[in-house]
């Protein structure tokens, strides 16, 4: 996808093939975007699909530590708002830094130095999980990441023991998470993805007109691994070049097959019934700070739990239909996340109340707010309720069926967090 500045963005993004794949194909678009067709389907049938068998029981058998989810502050959510946080549509670094300090202090009851010791040791390797989707409009703001890194380094974490990461390398670059912007800090995408011709602006072995004349563009052939251009994501043995980045001993298994076509493999590295965790998580990181953004996903949200649930493993498109929200709970139950995730900061400096999870400029607005919690489920439940309020205030048709929040209650039953609003302590400063 070509880089697009905010100023050049359309009110609604055109969906090219790559965008389509990003959010799960036709079903994903219909369900997540809440378009007219999907609304009709939802009105007819909003019952959850039959429960699919997974290996969640294996995850729950593992040993947990005193720092495991929901962390030292179950059910506690701190909301920090400062209307000065955004100026000329851009975050103001010094204001964001002050908001960060207020949020951590209010959450932990300690200053930044003492609160650091509640979550980290100096020898930790800390992964900062961002959400780079919608670069320039609705992605995790660099200023929030800057404040986080400053907190870590001032208290003894070496820059080369900090890794900004996401699932896709190209999205990190588009959002500005580069080695030039963050010298000494690791920038890691768990996988790469071959581009289509429409995105690269170049033909692979021929002109675009030639490809179109054959009933498909050359770019599509590249994406599907049917011409030499596929060498950008297929090795000489026909395997995805990112396959080695995933740990085949640590996986989320679900009784759902991934499609066999090359286009799917391009985006998801593996197909079949296994979704492997990235080796970055299983072998290098010792702690995780999760920084999602405040945005909707149809009638649900795409925030803290989805940022990790779908950002830590591969082969996820197959899960959208039968397990979409449950994945956000079950993946976080695995010790690779459950015992390492120490802090969640939902970036609501700019938020989006409709059209998500894809970026849509006409629904984005400056919210000037950051949220802090060790408990990602209490955090997401709180933000879900705020999202519903916002959507209603903007005259958006809201479906409040429990299907959109059941996964929070599922997490509470598993002991991963708090979902009952009566048990959540929502602090506003």
């Amino acid at each position: 996808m070509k880089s697009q500045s905010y100023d050049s963005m359309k009110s609604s993004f055109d969906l090219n093939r790559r965008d389509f794949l990003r959010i799960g194909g036709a079903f994903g678009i219909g369900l997540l975007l809440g378009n007219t067709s999907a609304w009709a389907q939802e009105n007819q049938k909003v019952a959850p699909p039959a429960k699919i068998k997974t290996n969640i029981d294996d995850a729950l058998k593992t040993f947990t530590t005193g720092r495991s989810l929901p962390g030292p502050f179950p059910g506690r959510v701190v909301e920090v708002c400062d209307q000065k946080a955004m100026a000329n549509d851009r975050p103001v670094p010094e204001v964001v830094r002050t908001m960060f300090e207020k949020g951590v202090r209010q959450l932990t009851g300690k200053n930044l130095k003492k609160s650091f010791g509640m979550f980290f040791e100096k020898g930790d390797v800390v992964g900062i999980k961002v959400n780079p989707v919608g670069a320039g409009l609705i992605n995790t703001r660099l200023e929030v990441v800057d404040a986080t890194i400053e907190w870590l380094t001032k208290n003894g974490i070496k820059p080369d023991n900090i890794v900004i990461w996401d699932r896709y390398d190209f999205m990190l670059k588009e959002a500005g998470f580069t080695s030039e912007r963050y010298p000494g800090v690791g920038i890691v995408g768990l996988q790469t993805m071959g581009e289509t011709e429409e995105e690269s602006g170049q033909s692979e072995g021929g002109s675009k007109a030639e490809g179109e004349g054959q009933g498909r563009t050359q770019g599509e052939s590249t994406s599907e691994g049917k011409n030499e251009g596929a060498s950008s994501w297929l090795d000489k043995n026909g395997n995805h070049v990112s396959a080695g980045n995933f740990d085949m001993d640590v996986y989320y298994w679900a009784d759902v097959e991934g499609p066999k076509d090359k286009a799917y493999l391009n985006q998801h590295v593996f197909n079949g019934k296994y979704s492997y965790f990235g080796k970055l998580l299983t072998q290098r990181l010792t702690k995780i700070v999760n920084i999602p953004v405040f945005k909707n996903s149809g009638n649900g949200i795409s925030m803290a739990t989805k940022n990790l649930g779908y950002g830590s493993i591969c082969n996820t498109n197959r899960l959208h239909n039968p397990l979409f929200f449950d994945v956000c709970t079950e993946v976080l139950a695995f010790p690779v996340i459950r015992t390492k995730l120490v802090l969640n900061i939902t970036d609501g400096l700019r938020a989006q109340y409709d059209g998500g999870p894809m970026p849509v400029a006409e629904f984005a607005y400056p919210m000037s707010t950051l949220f802090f919690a060790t408990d990602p489920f209490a955090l997401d439940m709180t933000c879900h309720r705020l999202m519903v309020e916002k959507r209603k205030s903007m005259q958006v048709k809201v479906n409040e069926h429990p299907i959109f929040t059941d996964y929070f209650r599922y997490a509470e039953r598993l002991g991963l967090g708090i979902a009952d609003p009566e048990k959540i302590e929502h602090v506003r400063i």
Side-chain angles (χ1 to χ4, degrees):
M1 176 176 159
K2 295 178 180 177
S3 297
Q4 300 184 64
S5 68
Y6 171 61
D7 290 338
S8 67
M9 283 184 174
K10 302 175 182 179
S11 60
S12 180
F13 278 41
D14 292 330
L15 295 182
N16 57 30
R17 181 178 179 82
R18 196 173 187 176
D19 294 328
F20 181 85
L21 289 169
R22 283 173 180 168
I23 60 172
F27 177 85
I29 290 176
L31 175 64
L32 301 180
L33 298 186
N35 58 29
T36 304
S37 174
W39 266 110
Q41 293 176 27
E42 288 178 7
N43 288 335
Q44 294 172 5
K45 182 180 180 181
V46 291
K51 179 66 175 176
I52 301 297
K53 186 177 181 181
T54 72
N55 64 336
I56 180 63
D57 289 342
D58 293 338
L60 297 175
K61 290 176 184 176
T62 56
F63 175 76
T64 59
T65 71
R67 287 176 172 172
S68 299
L69 291 183
F73 304 104
R76 184 174 176 82
V77 178
V78 175
E79 176 182 347
V80 183
C81 181
D82 190 328
Q83 295 303 326
K84 298 178 182 177
M86 299 287 287
N88 299 320
D89 228 18
R90 295 180 178 276
V92 180
E94 57 269 26
V95 178
V96 172
R97 192 179 303 115
T98 300
M99 294 170 68
F100 181 90
E101 181 175 359
K102 286 181 178 178
V104 173
R105 182 190 295 270
Q106 189 67 42
L107 176 66
T108 63
K110 301 181 183 299
N111 62 28
L112 286 183
K113 182 175 180 61
K114 291 183 177 178
S115 61
F116 173 87
M118 299 178 70
F119 301 126
F120 307 101
E121 289 82 37
K122 292 183 179 179
D124 274 328
V125 179
V126 182
I128 300 175
K129 174 64 175 76
V130 298
N131 185 337
V133 178
L137 180 65
I138 194 65
N139 61 287
T140 298
R141 295 291 158 170
L142 275 60
E143 290 78 4
V144 182
V145 176
D146 292 343
T148 306
I149 291 176
E150 183 175 300
W151 178 43
L152 297 175
T153 54
K154 278 189 173 181
N155 288 284
I157 301 288
K158 297 178 180 177
D160 59 2
N161 277 346
I162 299 172
V163 181
I164 300 169
W165 66 280
D166 182 60
R167 186 165 157 192
Y168 294 102
D169 53 4
F170 67 92
M171 289 189 183
L172 286 168
K173 184 177 181 181
E174 289 173 359
F177 296 107
T178 64
S179 57
E180 291 79 13
R181 177 63 171 74
Y182 292 96
V185 172
I187 310 291
V188 175
L190 298 184
Q191 65 173 93
T192 192
M193 179 176 164
E195 290 191 342
T196 64
E197 176 188 313
E198 294 88 342
E199 295 153 349
S200 66
Q202 300 177 352
S203 291
E204 296 286 346
S207 69
K208 181 176 181 178
E210 289 173 347
E212 289 173 338
Q214 297 166 1
R216 64 167 64 232
T217 66
Q218 290 290 332
E220 285 175 328
S221 296
T222 298
S223 175
E224 295 170 8
K226 295 180 178 178
N227 65 10
E228 293 181 356
S231 61
S232 66
W233 64 274
L234 280 177
D235 65 18
K236 62 182 181 181
N237 297 316
N239 298 316
H240 199 294
V241 295
S242 299
N245 296 341
F246 292 89
D247 191 334
M248 299 187 71
D249 292 325
V250 187
Y251 52 81
Y252 176 65
W253 178 90
D255 193 13
V256 184
E257 287 280 1
K260 304 298 184 185
D261 59 278
K262 287 284 185 10
Y264 182 90
L265 193 65
N266 180 13
Q267 187 193 14
H268 293 278
V269 185
F270 295 95
N271 42 37
K273 296 185 178 181
Y274 291 82
S275 292
Y276 304 105
F277 285 86
K279 286 182 178 176
L280 174 70
L281 286 81
T282 65
Q283 299 182 11
R284 187 175 180 204
L285 300 182
T286 57
K287 299 288 171 54
I288 297 172
V289 176
N290 183 29
I291 311 182
V293 297
F294 191 100
K295 64 179 178 179
N296 79 303
S297 180
N299 291 291
I301 60 171
S302 179
M303 301 192 201
T305 57
K306 186 168 184 288
N307 197 42
L308 286 172
Y310 280 85
S312 303
I313 57 176
C314 61
N315 191 16
T316 54
N317 195 1
R318 68 192 176 98
L319 305 171
H320 280 149
N321 187 341
L323 285 164
F324 181 72
F325 288 115
D326 279 358
V327 169
C328 302
T329 295
E330 295 191 346
V331 169
L332 270 64
F334 282 79
V336 63
I337 295 178
R338 188 178 186 182
T339 64
K340 297 181 180 181
L341 175 60
V342 295
L343 182 62
N344 304 273
I345 306 167
T346 296
D347 178 354
L349 295 178
R350 179 192 288 280
Q352 182 175 312
Y353 65 87
D354 201 16
M358 294 298 291
V360 183
E362 66 183 286
F363 301 127
Y365 65 104
M367 188 182 186
S368 303
T369 302
L370 298 176
F371 299 85
F372 299 80
T374 63
D375 179 346
F377 296 97
L379 175 60
D380 269 7
M381 175 59 93
T382 300
C383 290
H384 179 93
R385 291 160 64 86
L386 293 174
M387 179 64 76
V388 170
E389 290 177 7
K390 177 65 178 180
R391 286 163 63 82
K392 287 181 176 178
S393 72
M394 300 305 292
Q395 309 301 312
V396 174
K397 187 177 181 181
V398 177
N399 186 335
E400 297 185 75
H401 193 283
I403 192 175
F404 300 109
T405 52
D406 278 344
Y407 67 111
F408 301 140
R409 290 177 282 277
Y410 178 32
E412 183 166 333
R413 292 195 298 275
L414 296 182
L416 300 174
I418 302 298
D420 183 350
E422 297 299 320
K423 300 177 183 175
I424 294 175
E425 180 188 10
H426 180 189
V427 180
R428 285 179 156 130
I429 58 177

